[in-house]
Amino acid sequence: MPVSERVAALETRRPKRADAARNFDALVAAGRAAFAEQGSAASLDDIARRAGVGIGTLYRNFPTRDDLIETLYLGEVDALADAADEVAELEPWAALRAWLDRFVAYVGTKHALLDGLNRESTVLGECRAIMLSAGEPLLVRAQAAGEVASDVTIGDVVKLVSGVAAVAYEDAAQRDRVLNLAINAIRL
Amino acid sequence: MPVSERVAALETRRPKRADAARNFDALVAAGRAAFAEQGSAASLDDIARRAGVGIGTLYRNFPTRDDLIETLYLGEVDALADAADEVAELEPWAALRAWLDRFVAYVGTKHALLDGLNRESTVLGECRAIMLSAGEPLLVRAQAAGEVASDVTIGDVVKLVSGVAAVAYEDAAQRDRVLNLAINAIRL
DNA sequence: CCTCCGAACGGAGAGTGCCTCCGTTTAGAG
DNA sequence: CTCTAAACGGAGGCACTCTCCGTTCGGAGG
């Protein structure tokens, strides 16, 4: 099943009545903005206010805080899966490396994604799986080209890189140094 | 200045009047227990209750939530600094590796420590510095023995390892695989 | 041993956030 | 245009953080 379909299958949340769909979209937009600004501590009351709907409406669409986060997360996973296609024409190692860099950059701005990566949840698990299957061909190709150890899995690589990407560094130079260290660790 | 003194210098919080000192200790013990059980979401009300003191007393000793966390953190840093001495007699690489393993194990159980590692704060900054100077000799020795690349700093190593230690893994095997990957990344 | 005062105590209450419940409104099918 | 099921939204209950201040008590001085 292609990625787009797998993502669509998870998007069953969006209601069909015109007003409800409008509110759903407003909530997602407000949620995205709030989490970007205030990190994972964003207040749901505040998100409802920004979206111009009552708190009740927020909770009807997203019964728990995690439900909302899951929906936001879905969009980000989607973007990451697209990135895997975009780098497909590069040389094997360069392609994998470029995707991982993209992953790191993405994770840096959207910190909520990282929290999600470690969280327990059916939807989030499926998201993780979607992302891993987007990256896997890149890893396999690099392994086939003899550039990466054959005993690492895409799951290992993502855990490694996401762990390193989550840390707060002194400065950009240290960040790059450590990130290089980590990514080169899988290289033969 | 030896580690014990640097730690002591940060312990100026503890009050001197008998009842106050008793309460301070009770709060620290309760805090340690609560954070161990419930993670970083532990409630301060609950901690005060466990310690058998009023919430007011908690706040007098620790004006903010972070003040309490800092104090708990201090004890953990202390333990890690001791660990560096304990492994000093091993071979250069083995000693560094053993200390990092200890670090990872510690961080695994006391998750609050990791949050602290990334947080902005004077006291926490000093704690970090204490921990780094405890680990540095081990790294330098391994570098002198030609076992570790000479251009990595102890700061880099700790960031790398703590990032990787913070991730939630599928199982212990994956955790070990990725951890090995990361630690061997600095090896020559 | 007693007095006394400033340090320490502790809990009521204000502020804020999460989430539920239910009376009111409204989209859109017939 | 009517009518009903779906959607709305905010008041209110509960939990937690933090402040404020009247009450208690440790321990120094007599």
Side-chain angles (χ1 to χ4, degrees), chain B residues 21 35 41 49 84 130 173:
Chain B
F35 278 104
R49 220 174 300 122
I130 290 174

Side-chain angles (χ1 to χ4, degrees), chain B residues 26-103:
Chain B
L27 281 167
V28 169
R32 230 180 268 291
F35 278 104
E37 276 171 34
Q38 310 167 32
S40 57
S43 137
L44 297 190
D45 270 338
D46 183 46
I47 291 174
R49 220 174 300 122
R50 283 171 188 243
V53 306
I55 186 68
T57 297
L58 188 156
Y59 275 93
R60 200 169 332 94
N61 280 287
F62 309 102
T64 70
R65 187 187 185 78
D66 283 355
D67 281 320
L68 174 57
I69 293 179
E70 281 175 11
T71 300
L72 302 181
Y73 185 77
L74 190 59
E76 305 181 352
V77 165
D78 208 6
L80 230 31
D82 287 349
D85 292 337
E86 288 168 28
V87 300
E89 66 215 18
L90 300 176
E91 294 299 298
W93 171 257
L96 178 61
R97 171 79 213 216
W99 186 69
L100 290 175
D101 282 341
R102 187 85 160 251
F103 176 77

Side-chain angles (χ1 to χ4, degrees), chain A residues 102-151:
Chain A
R102 188 83 162 248
F103 175 77
V104 168
Y106 218 78
V107 146
T109 50
K110 318 258 175 180
H111 202 282
L113 185 130
L114 251 194
D115 294 346
L117 224 46
N118 285 337
R119 211 186 304 256
E120 221 35 84
S121 138
T122 314
V123 175
L124 257 29
E126 171 65 3
C127 284
R128 214 165 21 234
I130 289 175
M131 211 180 56
L132 294 188
S133 31
E136 188 163 38
L138 299 173
L139 175 66
V140 169
R141 199 153 65 92
Q143 285 172 325
E147 306 236 46
V148 170
S150 59
D151 60 348

